Amino acid sequence: MGNSGSAVKVCTDHQGGINWLSLSPDGQRLLTGSEDGTARLWSTADSQCRGHFQGHESYITFCHLENEAAFTCSADHTIRKWDVMTGQCLAIYRGHTSIVNRILVAKDYLFSGSYDRTARCWSVDKEKQIQEFRGHRNCVLTLAHYSSRDVLEEEEEEEEEEEKVSRDLLVTGSTDCTVKVWWVSSGRCYQTLLGHTGAVLCLILDAPNRELFSGSTDYTIRTWNIVTGEQLKVFKEHQGSVICLELVNRHLYSGSADRTVKCWLVDTGERIQTYKAHKHSVSTLKYHAGILFTGSGDACARAFNSKSGVLQKIFRGHKFIINCIQIHNELLYTASHDGTLRIWDVRGICKRNKRRLKKERSAQGRSSQKGSLSRLFNNKVGCMVQQENGEHEAVELM
C-alpha cells in the first residue's frame, strides 16, 4: 500500500467541473477549461489565479496554453484565442457545426476536431479557416501532427510532388473506428488506417521512428507505420477501453477502463508491467523521473514506481473523476470534474526515486566493468566464455 498524501493547495474558483489542464512551454502558467464555460490561468510560482477568460456560450471541452496565448474550444461550436496578459479574446474561430472536442497548435496552424465529423485547420494569426478535412463517418476525437520531413527520405518526398509546398500532415482518430492521415495543404486523405473495431480514443506519434500508436474502445492498442499505413503490432491484454497513452524511451504506457495501466516494450510488443490498485477507469497518466502518475474515475491520483510497479503514494481529496494531471517543479497538479484544481508536493517520492535510479546506474556500471574485466581475463587465457552474472546483473527498484 502507498502512503496517502495531502494537497498543498486546493483551488475552488471554477463553478463547474474542470475538463482539461494545460501547462505552458516555459512552465510559468497553467490553464484550466471548465464546464462553467470559462477558462482560468494560474501561476505555477504561487498557484494564484492570474486570469479569467469568459465568452464561450457553453462548456469548454479542451484547452491549450502557449507562452503568450491561450486557446479554448467549446460545445458552442467555436474556438477562442486569448491574450494571457490581459485576458482579452483575440480571435474567435467559427465554422464547426457541432461540439469542438479537441484542438492542437503546431507552428502557425490551429487544428480542431469536432462531433460534426470534420477536422479543420486555421491560421492562428488571421482568424481564418485554411482547410477542412472531411471523410470520417463519425465524430473526430483525437489529433496529432507531423511533417513529412520528419519521416520521409529524400527520394520518397519526390514522389509526393503535389504536396511539396507544405509537407505538414494531420492525423485524426474517430468513433468510426478509423485513423486518417491528411495532407494539410490540400485536405487530401493520405492514408486510412483500418483495423480497430471500436472508437479511437487516443493517439501518440513517434515521428522519428515512423510510428503511430492508437488506443480504442475495442480494448487494443495498435502500432502503425505512418508512411506506408501498415499495421505493425496489436497490443491485446487490456480488458477495457484504452483511454490514454504515454510514450517514454520506447516504453508505452496505456491507461484503461479495466482499472489498470500497462507498460509495453514498443520494439517487441511485450507487456512488462501492470499497475493495479485503481478502483475505477484510469482517465489520465503522466510519466516523470521514473514515476508513473495516474488519475482515475475513483477520484484518486496515484504514484507508482514505473519499473517495479509498486504503488508509492495515493493522493486523496477529489470527489469526482480526475480528468487531467500535470507535473512541474516536483508539484503534481490534478484537475477534476468536482471543479477543483489540487496541488500536491511530490518532492519526497521524486527524491527517493532519484536515489534509487542513481544506485541502479551505479550497480549497472559496476556490473558492466566486471563483465569487461572478465572478458579481458578470459581472452588472455584463450577462453571465450561469457560471464553471465557480469552481463545481466541489475538492481530491482523497490
Side-chain angles (χ1 to χ4, degrees), residues 89-105:
C89 181
L90 300 175
I92 304 175
Y93 306 87
R94 292 186 171 95
H96 281 296
T97 57
S98 189
I99 297 168
V100 184
N101 55 63
R102 189 57 55 99
I103 51 176
L104 185 156
V105 178

Side-chain angles (χ1 to χ4, degrees), residues 77-370:
H77 308 178
T78 72
I79 305 147
R80 288 179 180 248
K81 178 184 177 183
W82 312 83
D83 187 309
V84 299
M85 300 305 294
T86 66
Q88 177 186 358
C89 181
L90 300 175
I92 304 175
Y93 306 87
R94 292 186 171 95
H96 281 296
T97 57
S98 189
I99 297 168
V100 184
N101 55 63
R102 189 57 55 99
I103 51 176
L104 185 156
V105 178
K107 301 179 181 177
D108 297 324
Y109 297 130
L110 168 65
F111 298 99
S112 56
S114 169
Y115 276 78
D116 66 10
R117 306 182 182 186
T118 72
R120 297 175 194 235
C121 176
W122 317 78
S123 168
V124 167
D125 296 324
K126 295 180 181 178
E127 202 172 342
K128 175 185 174 184
Q129 181 176 306
I130 297 172
Q131 197 57 259
E132 180 178 330
F133 309 94
R134 188 175 289 274
H136 280 297
R137 299 189 309 277
N138 216 321
C139 56
V140 178
L141 294 180
T142 183
L143 307 170
H145 166 271
Y146 68 98
S147 168
S148 64
R149 285 193 184 98
D150 299 332
V151 300
L152 294 179
E153 301 295 339
E154 198 170 317
E155 61 272 15
E156 292 173 307
E157 285 193 294
E158 293 297 329
E159 297 173 9
E160 301 294 344
E161 192 69 35
E162 177 189 344
E163 308 295 343
K164 288 196 72 167
V165 176
S166 172
R167 295 183 175 91
D168 291 283
L169 293 107
L170 176 69
V171 187
T172 55
S174 169
T175 53
D176 68 7
C177 310
T178 71
V179 176
K180 288 181 179 286
V181 184
W182 314 80
W183 287 108
V184 171
S185 59
S186 65
R188 181 171 66 89
C189 183
Y190 170 62
Q191 298 277 5
T192 297
L193 310 182
L194 301 172
H196 281 298
T197 58
V200 179
L201 301 182
C202 48
L203 296 171
I204 288 282
L205 186 64
D206 182 4
N209 289 296
R210 299 181 167 201
E211 289 179 337
L212 176 74
F213 304 88
S214 55
S216 169
T217 59
D218 66 10
Y219 303 1
T220 72
I221 306 148
R222 294 169 192 256
T223 313
W224 314 85
N225 181 305
I226 54 177
V227 176
T228 66
E230 178 190 1
Q231 182 176 284
L232 303 176
K233 293 185 185 73
V234 183
F235 304 85
K236 288 184 173 179
E237 292 190 28
H238 277 298
Q239 301 301 308
S241 298
V242 179
I243 297 169
C244 48
L245 296 170
E246 178 100 328
L247 181 66
V248 183
N249 298 327
R250 304 298 287 167
H251 287 66
L252 182 68
Y253 299 88
S254 55
S256 171
D258 67 9
R259 306 183 181 187
T260 73
V261 176
K262 294 183 185 293
C263 178
W264 316 80
L265 291 179
V266 168
D267 296 324
T268 64
E270 179 188 1
R271 192 264 303 155
I272 59 171
Q273 191 57 261
T274 299
Y275 309 86
K276 300 179 181 179
H278 307 94
K279 297 177 182 177
H280 206 282
S281 300
V282 178
S283 46
T284 182
L285 55 84
K286 190 76 70 174
Y287 175 96
H288 176 74
I291 304 168
L292 183 68
F293 293 92
T294 66
S296 172
D298 64 14
C300 292
R302 291 174 174 83
F304 296 87
N305 181 302
S306 63
K307 183 172 182 179
S308 68
V310 171
L311 177 62
Q312 295 185 309
K313 201 157 193 173
I314 304 172
F315 304 90
R316 293 188 175 96
H318 284 297
K319 295 178 180 177
F320 297 112
I321 183 173
I322 296 173
N323 288 321
C324 195
I325 59 179
Q326 291 288 348
I327 301 151
H328 179 67
N329 280 348
E330 298 188 343
L331 289 174
L332 171 66
Y333 298 86
T334 57
S336 167
H337 206 69
D338 65 12
T340 68
L341 171 67
R342 290 176 182 258
I343 304 160
W344 317 79
D345 188 341
V346 293
R347 283 176 297 182
I349 55 175
C350 286
K351 283 179 182 177
R352 288 195 297 273
N353 208 61
K354 283 175 182 176
R355 286 197 295 267
R356 292 189 187 100
L357 290 171
K358 188 176 180 181
K359 286 180 182 177
E360 183 186 41
R361 284 194 294 268
S362 177
Q364 286 174 339
R366 287 195 301 272
S367 69
S368 176
Q369 184 180 29
K370 177 183 173 184

Side-chain angles (χ1 to χ4, degrees), residues 25 32 254 392:
T32 50
S254 55
H392 301 292

